[in-house]
Amino acid sequence: MRIRIIYIMMIACTMLQSCDDFFDKTGDDSDVTAGKFFKDETAFMQALTGIYMQMRAPELYGNTLSLGMMEFASQTLEPYDEETTAASKLDFDAPVLRQRMDTMRICADRVIESCDRIIDEAEHTKVVFFTSGLKEIVLGECYAIKAAMTFDLHRLLDLPMDGVEEWLDKADRLLSANDPIMNATNPSSVKVGEIDRRLRTFQLNAYAVKALKARVALWKGDYQKALDNADSVMLHTDPARVATRYQLFYFVTPGKYGSDYCFSRENIFALSSLPTGFTRLSATLFDQKKVRCRTDIDRIYAQQTDIRRRAWFREQEDGTQIMSNKYGPNTLLTGYVSTESGGSTDLPAAIPYIRLGEVQLIAAEALWRLGRKQEARQRLIAMQSNKDVTYAADASEDADLLPMIYDEYRRDLFGDGQLYYLNKRISR
């Protein structure tokens, strides 16, 4: 036990640079006291930005919890070394993978501790926030991030998830009443890798909280709660509620994505990534290491018209497929946001956390399990029509829809590091 503790402490020390504790710094490695750091609302915003920077580190969602380890654990990619082989076999206790898992846990715990620090300072100090609603937004995002990180540790390591629903409820109350995304009328321009707080899909916004609540409820088998929260998210895509020009996320349809191969407009929440981050990871895996897809693409994407198949994959001379396009260097979020002058800006591929397709599928699965089978079928048909496929529409009305819903999860979440959790959930 003592050796184990020393081992973990050694890992923590080696991670100080890549899994940075933002509370010790102000951006230029200059030490500041806690009291000085939280002297005004700007300090709180800087601290919250630091948490998102922690989350996009390769030890967390920038690699391990997304396209890296978790995608190999999702059984979609051919392993290329001892570590990815262990992940593909779900052998998380293998010595070659153990250090990576321990490092991930340390970094995840630091994210949670960072959220607790901001929450404690905001709720128990007399710092004045001059911007209306900003304190509530900061608190709401911190509660949401804390819940998201804890829930992922629960799904991956079977750790307790005590408090997750309570934190999400708090985040929901705080953000539903104060988050600008609920109005969605403010244009924003963003530089590469920049975290611009006006572009709310790069923060854990009010709709993302609802989406996460739907994900948690489905995991627990609370299908009515999953449906209610999923439907709350879908309201943003209703032109009668939010004018099309102000919708920050919506389904990408054939001919509408240009060079945005990752369909970024379907991200309800994603982490802003530097060019040296997620995009480079994709290039390393698929362009340099030539990692192949181990799943039979022709079976999963049986209909050739599927825009995801056309956009994400590239066939090799031997007939195998690599997912070089989805997050690769050629993927740009062209025209992702409008500037005040009427132009647009480009960003590298973001790191997805939760997408619109997953939310629609949560609604379809919840409806099916609640016995509302025709409604479930219509939800699946609507989703698939956006991808130019007709699996559900072609099926008989009395067909078992659940396998079709699972197959659609596999198509839509390919490459996002999420399919491990689907496989684990449906086999419990």
Side-chain angles (χ1 to χ4, degrees):
M1 177 63 70
R2 183 178 179 184
I3 294 175
R4 175 71 168 170
I5 293 172
I6 294 173
Y7 172 61
I8 293 176
M9 290 177 65
M10 290 174 63
I11 294 173
C13 291
T14 64
M15 292 309 303
L16 286 177
Q17 181 175 1
S18 55
C19 184
D20 211 4
D21 185 352
F22 192 80
F23 292 110
D24 293 336
K25 302 182 179 181
T26 58
D28 296 317
D29 294 341
S30 56
D31 293 334
V32 293
T33 64
K36 180 180 179 182
F37 190 82
F38 289 101
K39 64 182 179 181
D40 54 27
E41 66 179 39
T42 299
F44 279 93
M45 299 304 290
Q46 291 174 339
L48 185 52
T49 295
I51 292 178
Y52 286 111
M53 293 170 68
Q54 290 178 36
M55 293 174 70
R56 74 183 184 189
E59 293 74 30
L60 293 176
Y61 296 101
N63 184 321
T64 297
L65 295 180
S66 57
L67 184 57
M69 182 188 74
M70 290 313 301
E71 194 58 27
F72 288 94
S74 295
Q75 312 290 312
T76 61
L77 303 177
E78 290 285 354
Y80 63 89
D81 61 9
E82 191 176 358
E83 186 178 75
T84 54
T85 297
S88 296
K89 293 179 179 179
L90 309 183
D91 187 5
F92 298 121
D93 287 322
V96 69
L97 199 56
R98 188 68 261 170
Q99 179 174 339
R100 185 168 187 172
M101 293 292 290
D102 287 340
T103 299
M104 179 277 295
R105 175 70 188 278
I106 290 167
C107 292
D109 285 344
R110 296 182 80 176
V111 167
I112 294 169
E113 291 166 5
S114 297
C115 290
D116 284 337
R117 172 77 178 280
I118 294 179
I119 290 169
D120 184 65
E121 290 286 341
E123 290 185 338
H124 300 106
T125 64
K126 296 181 180 180
V127 174
V128 176
F129 283 74
F130 294 100
T131 304
S132 177
L134 186 59
K135 178 178 179 178
E136 289 74 17
I137 291 172
V138 169
L139 283 169
E141 288 185 41
C142 284
Y143 277 118
I145 293 170
K146 180 180 177 180
M149 196 79 262
T150 302
F151 182 58
D152 278 349
L153 290 175
H154 166 75
R155 292 195 296 173
L156 179 57
L157 303 176
D158 295 317
L159 296 176
M161 58 176 288
D162 299 340
V164 166
E165 290 179 287
E166 177 187 353
W167 301 328
L168 287 174
D169 286 341
K170 288 183 178 180
D172 194 358
R173 289 192 298 270
L174 290 163
L175 292 173
S176 292
N178 296 281
D179 194 339
I181 201 173
M182 303 306 290
N183 297 320
T185 59
N186 294 326
S188 174
S189 60
V190 185
K191 297 178 181 178
V192 171
E194 182 181 50
I195 299 176
D196 187 328
R197 302 204 58 79
R198 293 170 296 175
L199 188 58
R200 296 295 295 156
T201 51
F202 279 105
Q203 276 77 47
L204 230 167
N205 60 74
Y207 285 113
V209 170
K210 293 285 191 184
L212 184 52
K213 290 177 74 172
R215 179 187 276 177
V216 172
L218 187 69
W219 182 268
K220 296 185 65 178
D222 189 341
Y223 302 119
Q224 187 60 57
K225 186 174 181 179
L227 175 62
D228 291 344
N229 281 284
D231 281 347
S232 295
V233 175
M234 301 308 297
L235 290 175
H236 184 76
T237 65
D238 181 359
R241 179 181 175 88
V242 181
T244 302
R245 68 183 182 277
Y246 293 136
Q247 289 177 4
L248 296 182
F249 55 86
Y250 51 76
F251 280 115
V252 174
T253 54
K256 299 295 185 182
Y257 55 86
S259 60
D260 181 9
Y261 302 122
C262 65
F263 303 166
S264 62
R265 294 312 293 258
E266 297 183 5
N267 289 332
I268 301 170
F269 166 52
L271 288 159
S272 174
S273 178
L274 293 165
T276 54
F278 205 56
T279 301
R280 180 173 292 180
L281 170 63
S282 175
T284 299
L285 288 174
F286 304 116
D287 296 335
Q288 297 178 23
K289 298 184 181 298
K290 302 296 182 183
V291 173
R292 263 57 170 178
C293 299
R294 65 185 299 176
T295 302
D296 183 356
I297 299 299
D298 290 332
R299 180 181 61 83
I300 296 295
Y301 300 93
Q303 295 185 8
Q304 299 288 325
T305 53
D306 196 317
I307 63 172
R308 294 163 297 194
R309 175 181 175 135
R310 299 203 307 266
W312 296 349
F313 303 98
R314 189 172 74 236
E315 187 171 349
Q316 304 301 288
E317 291 182 359
D318 60 2
T320 59
Q321 301 278 351
I322 61 173
M323 197 189 68
S324 58
N325 292 347
K326 188 174 184 181
Y327 299 117
N330 293 327
T331 297
L332 292 176
L333 316 191
T334 304
Y336 186 82
V337 288
S338 296
T339 64
E340 294 180 359
S341 61
S344 62
T345 59
D346 294 344
L347 286 171
I351 306 167
Y353 181 81
I354 195 158
R355 292 178 176 272
L356 189 58
E358 180 184 350
V359 173
Q360 182 77 311
L361 290 169
I362 288 173
E365 182 177 346
L367 284 165
W368 180 263
R369 293 184 180 277
L370 290 169
R372 297 161 61 178
K373 297 187 175 182
Q374 286 306 311
E375 292 177 76
R377 185 170 184 267
Q378 290 306 312
R379 293 294 185 100
L380 189 55
I381 289 173
M383 161 130 184
Q384 292 180 342
S385 67
N386 289 305
K387 305 306 164 195
D388 208 6
V389 293
T390 58
Y391 301 104
D394 294 342
S396 63
E397 292 194 7
D398 60 348
D400 185 358
L401 206 66
L402 208 52
M404 296 186 193
I405 292 172
Y406 292 153
D407 280 345
E408 196 59 38
Y409 277 118
R410 294 185 179 101
R411 294 184 198 101
D412 212 59
L413 299 179
F414 200 108
D416 290 358
Q418 290 292 325
L419 292 177
Y420 164 82
Y421 303 119
L422 170 69
N423 297 334
K424 186 173 183 178
R425 178 170 65 84
I426 64 180
S427 64
R428 285 185 301 175

